[in-house]
Every structure is written in structure tokens, then in C-alpha cells.
Amino acid sequence: MGVLKKFEQRLEGLVNGTFAKVFKSEVQPVEIAGALQRECDNNATIWNRERTVVPNDFIVELSTPDHERLSPYSGQLGDELAGLVRDYAKQQRYTFMGPIKVHLEKADDLDTGLYRVRSRTLASSTSQQPPQQPPQHQGYRQQEGYGYPPRAVPPMPDTPPPGAARGGYGAPGPAPSAVPPTRTRHWIEINGTRHQISRSTLVLGRSTDADVRIDDPGVSRRHCEIRTGTPSTIQDLGSTNGIVVDGQHTTRATLRDGSRIVVGSTTIVYRQAEG
């Protein structure tokens, strides 16, 4: 069973169902949980082959209405979220510099349903085996908006790469003279309008908070997600009507240049090109 599923099941039994009523707001606990997982993945620092350090001190900023709704349960929710981070780290073989803490804070600049996650690696004064050099992200790092799935941390190389500045390799050396890799551009076309994919994930849906909003009654608020990579893929996000890729009903599919995606009554063409 996945870490997020276990987290949801634990929440269901808290306070005789109080959480189920509270979390009918726009911000769902599983969204915050997913954001914390991504925060670990995005800020993982490889020290050596056996140790990858991730943040252990998190602040989740919420809008005023969401914070007022959740603050009476912030202690229990913070403990559950910290437990989820601990379980996820064990699954990914991550380690921490100190105890895991998750705090909820109010942010006046956020609208209802939006959240922001900040994190840092905070060393414990009682740590028995501290790394030989301090982590590079002592200040909080920030992740805004709605959740995106975790990105895999690249494997540790057998030998330190030339000029490496992270993972305990020491001071950077001269940059190697090499031909830069060819960059692949990704975009989608909807009714003749081109939407560039500038990051690793793109959420499509009817909600104004989706990365690309599709005004179609047959499209769910968060309908599906495109993940660029080698290869690129599309994943259904539990939509009502599902997705059709190149004529096949599916929940997940590999995309190629020219793939046709149908959501509701809207057709999307996926494109990619080198350079």
C-alpha cells in the first residue's frame, strides 16, 4: 500500500470523522502530503552512496479561511504529516539531520484553496554522526500552489563528477569542456492555441488553478497530468470521464510527437522537438 493511501486511512479515523468534515475545503490533506513528498525529492542532497539527506523542518502556509478551519487540528495534522514524511523517507532511503517538524501558518496573500510549502534542513544538536560538511540549504526553500507528483532523485555515480559541489565532493573544480546536451522542447496544442510545457509536469483541468484550464463540462477540475521525460507520459488524475490517447481509453500512456489526447469533448495534440 502506498504511503499517501496509508496517510488518508489514518486521517479517516481521527477525531470521529472530524477531519473528513473539516477538509471539505479546497485544500485537501493529501495535497499537502504530496507537496511534502515533493519537497523532499526536490531538495534531496546526496552525501555518499549510502546517505541522501532531505529537509526535516517544514512550514505549510495556508490562506486565512483555510488556516482558521484547520488550526484547531494543527497539532494532530502536523504529527500525521510528519509521520508521512518519515514513512516516505524510509521508502526512498532518505535520511534526516534532525527531528521532523511540520507547522501550519497563515499567509494573507493566499486565496482559499492555495497553499505554499517552505522547508529547510535543520541539524539536531544531539546528532551522533553529523556529516563532514553542512547541508547547502539551511534557509527555507519554497514550493507554491497545488501539488505535483514526486520527481525521482538521480542515482549516486560511482565516482564524483568533475567540479561537483554537492554531495560532499568538496570544492568545485574547473568545468569540463563538453558539448551541451540537446534540449527537447515540449508543448500542447488545443484548438489552435499553443501551450508551452516549461517544467516537468503540466496539470490539465477545468479548475482555474490547473496549469492549463479547459472550459469543457466533460473535463474534471484536475483531469490529467502530462509528465515530460524520456519518454513523456500522461496520467489520469481520477477524472470522471477518463482520457483517450491515440484512440485508446486509458489511465496512463506514453506520449510521442503528434499524440492525440481527448478529454471530455476537447482534443489536445502533444508535440515535442529537439533544439
Side-chain angles (χ1 to χ4, degrees):
M1 183 183 298
V3 173
L4 282 178
K5 188 63 177 177
K6 292 180 181 178
F7 171 75
E8 289 183 291
Q9 290 182 350
R10 288 201 303 267
L11 279 186
E12 289 175 0
L14 287 178
V15 200
N16 295 323
T18 300
F19 275 91
K21 299 174 184 177
V22 169
F23 287 118
K24 288 182 179 178
S25 62
E26 291 294 330
V27 174
Q28 300 295 322
V30 70
E31 290 180 299
I32 298 175
L36 294 178
Q37 288 185 348
R38 290 190 301 278
E39 198 71 12
C40 290
D41 290 330
N42 294 341
N43 296 309
T45 301
I46 302 173
W47 293 107
N48 52 49
R49 293 190 185 185
E50 283 125 23
R51 189 166 195 186
T52 299
V53 177
V54 294
N56 60 300
D57 196 71
F58 303 87
I59 290 178
V60 180
E61 295 184 352
L62 302 167
S63 67
T64 298
D66 283 325
H67 185 266
E68 289 178 352
R69 188 178 296 110
L70 304 183
S71 57
Y73 314 97
S74 59
Q76 289 172 297
L77 181 57
D79 290 343
E80 286 296 328
L81 289 169
L84 174 133
V85 172
R86 187 178 299 105
D87 292 344
Y88 183 67
K90 182 178 180 181
Q91 183 184 81
Q92 301 297 320
R93 297 184 179 179
Y94 293 152
T95 59
F96 302 101
M97 296 286 289
I100 305 167
K101 297 181 180 179
V102 181
H103 308 276
L104 303 184
E105 290 188 359
K106 181 174 66 174
D108 295 331
D109 62 323
L110 292 177
D111 294 329
T112 302
L114 297 179
Y115 61 84
R116 185 162 50 228
V117 175
R118 292 183 288 140
S119 69
R120 62 178 177 174
T121 299
L122 191 61
S124 171
S125 59
T126 59
S127 178
Q128 297 298 316
Q129 295 181 334
Q132 295 183 358
Q133 73 180 76
Q136 296 183 353
H137 46 281
Q138 288 297 323
Y140 281 106
R141 292 192 176 185
Q142 182 171 299
Q143 174 190 159
E144 297 189 26
Y146 277 45
Y148 299 94
R151 295 184 301 178
V153 176
M156 178 66 184
D158 290 336
T159 57
R166 300 184 67 183
Y169 289 138
S177 57
V179 178
T182 303
R183 181 180 178 183
T184 301
R185 295 180 293 111
H186 309 266
W187 70 94
I188 57 173
E189 296 171 356
I190 306 176
N191 298 327
T193 301
R194 180 169 174 167
H195 301 270
Q196 197 73 27
I197 305 176
S198 58
R199 54 185 176 184
S200 60
T201 58
L202 185 79
V203 174
L204 309 174
R206 200 175 72 253
S207 169
T208 56
D209 299 308
D211 296 319
V212 175
R213 184 172 182 267
I214 302 176
D215 189 11
D216 182 332
V219 174
S220 299
R221 292 182 70 252
R222 289 169 58 82
H223 196 103
C224 60
E225 179 180 68
I226 292 175
R227 306 176 189 178
T228 60
T230 309
S232 295
T233 60
I234 185 169
Q235 175 76 48
D236 182 78
L237 296 179
S239 66
T240 301
N241 297 317
I243 57 176
V244 178
V245 180
D246 294 328
Q248 299 293 322
H249 283 274
T250 184
T251 57
R252 187 178 188 277
T254 298
L255 298 176
R256 55 177 177 78
D257 182 41
S259 287
R260 300 179 70 84
I261 306 159
V262 178
V263 293
S265 58
T266 302
T267 299
I268 304 163
V269 180
Y270 170 80
R271 308 292 300 181
Q272 66 181 41
E274 301 291 336

